[in-house]
Amino acid sequence: MSWLGILLIGFAVTDLTHSVRKVRLLPECVGALVALVSGVLAGLTSGADVVALFVIVAVVLLWGVTVTWGFAHPGPAWLPLTVFVVALSGAVAVSGLAPEASGPLSRWLDSVSLPALSGIDPDRFLLLVGAFGIQLSTGNVLVRLVLKSTGTIHPLANGDMPPTRLKGGRLLGPLERIFILALALAGQVTAASVVVAAKGLLRFPELSSRRDQERIHQLTEYFLLGSFVSWLVALGGFVLLS
């Protein structure tokens, strides 16, 4: 599972860097570098591991480039979505071939006295960091890519993306996914479902308004599709960690 965790970390760092500093080629290079360093710290320095790390680096670079192209290119953005799905599926398929992580990361985990990290193995730690990292900026990227690919835009937007005057949703989405994933991992699946239901109840008055029905239908489609994709990202992290 070490390769899978490092791949997720590379994706997460790439998208987080892009959200902070939108400079051409910088995000994917930072993500690839962090993935490479993570592999070295995990003791993955043998012949097969080095090849795997360079494949991961190439995939992370490809992800960053295709995401930039997908948002800049008019029309559907299926290419970055395909890269993400194929890369993740491939990493899961070969996860059994990955050796157990060790090296400096293992020694550091043994020295940490935090209860949350007590007894955790390096492979699990890498997967935890990657799964929670994906919930941050990568989840937003996947939602936007799906909305763009399906032509589902905010009813108040003039282009492919919703207006940027209100940016709280970009923070609420990651917080919601992290909250759901943390509750599910803690065995509180019912509480996680309550969070999902509460979001729908909060938007119900607006979605059920009788005014401007066409805009309401568009807003409902936008809300439902974006929410389901966001929840699917959180559910995917839970499945990987289970």
Side-chain angles (χ1 to χ4, degrees):
M1 300 295 287
S2 55
W3 296 344
L4 176 59
I6 292 171
L7 177 65
L8 294 178
I9 291 173
F11 284 160
V13 172
T14 296
D15 297 320
L16 282 171
T17 305
H18 186 269
S19 65
V20 174
R21 190 73 175 176
K22 294 179 175 61
V23 178
R24 185 176 177 84
L25 297 179
L26 175 65
E28 49 265 39
C29 290
V30 173
L33 179 61
V34 170
L36 185 61
V37 171
S38 299
V40 173
L41 292 177
L44 304 179
T45 55
S46 66
D49 292 331
V50 171
V51 173
L53 285 179
F54 277 106
V55 171
I56 291 172
V57 166
V59 171
V60 171
L61 291 173
L62 181 62
W63 164 249
V65 171
T66 54
V67 166
T68 302
W69 176 88
F71 286 132
H73 184 77
W78 294 112
L79 183 57
L81 288 172
T82 301
V83 170
F84 184 85
V85 172
V86 171
L88 189 61
S89 301
V92 171
V94 301
S95 60
L97 301 177
E100 294 184 0
S102 56
L105 177 61
S106 179
R107 293 191 292 273
W108 176 74
L109 288 173
D110 290 338
S111 66
V112 174
S113 58
L114 290 176
L117 298 179
S118 178
I120 188 173
D121 61 89
D123 286 349
R124 177 74 173 177
F125 178 77
L126 289 172
L127 201 55
L128 274 171
V129 173
F132 274 96
I134 287 292
Q135 309 307 318
L136 299 176
S137 188
T138 303
N140 287 353
V141 170
L142 292 172
V143 170
R144 292 172 61 195
L145 287 172
V146 172
L147 291 173
K148 185 176 188 297
S149 298
T150 57
T152 306
I153 65 172
H154 194 284
L156 299 180
N158 296 321
D160 290 335
M161 298 308 302
T164 57
R165 185 174 300 174
L166 297 177
K167 299 181 180 180
R170 298 183 182 180
L171 178 60
L172 289 174
L175 290 176
E176 176 189 59
R177 289 189 295 269
I178 290 176
F179 197 47
I180 292 174
L181 179 57
L183 287 173
L185 288 175
Q188 302 296 327
V189 179
T190 302
S193 65
V194 171
V195 175
V196 173
K199 182 177 182 180
L201 289 175
L202 290 173
R203 299 300 296 269
F204 181 76
E206 182 180 7
L207 297 178
S208 62
S209 174
R210 295 184 178 181
R211 300 179 182 178
D212 194 0
Q213 285 298 304
E214 182 179 357
R215 188 187 73 85
I216 294 301
H217 291 325
Q218 292 175 340
L219 182 62
T220 301
E221 180 185 46
Y222 180 86
F223 167 74
L224 289 177
L225 181 58
S227 295
F228 272 106
V229 174
S230 182
W231 296 333
L232 186 61
V233 174
L235 178 61
F238 174 64
V239 171
L240 290 176
L241 290 170
S242 297

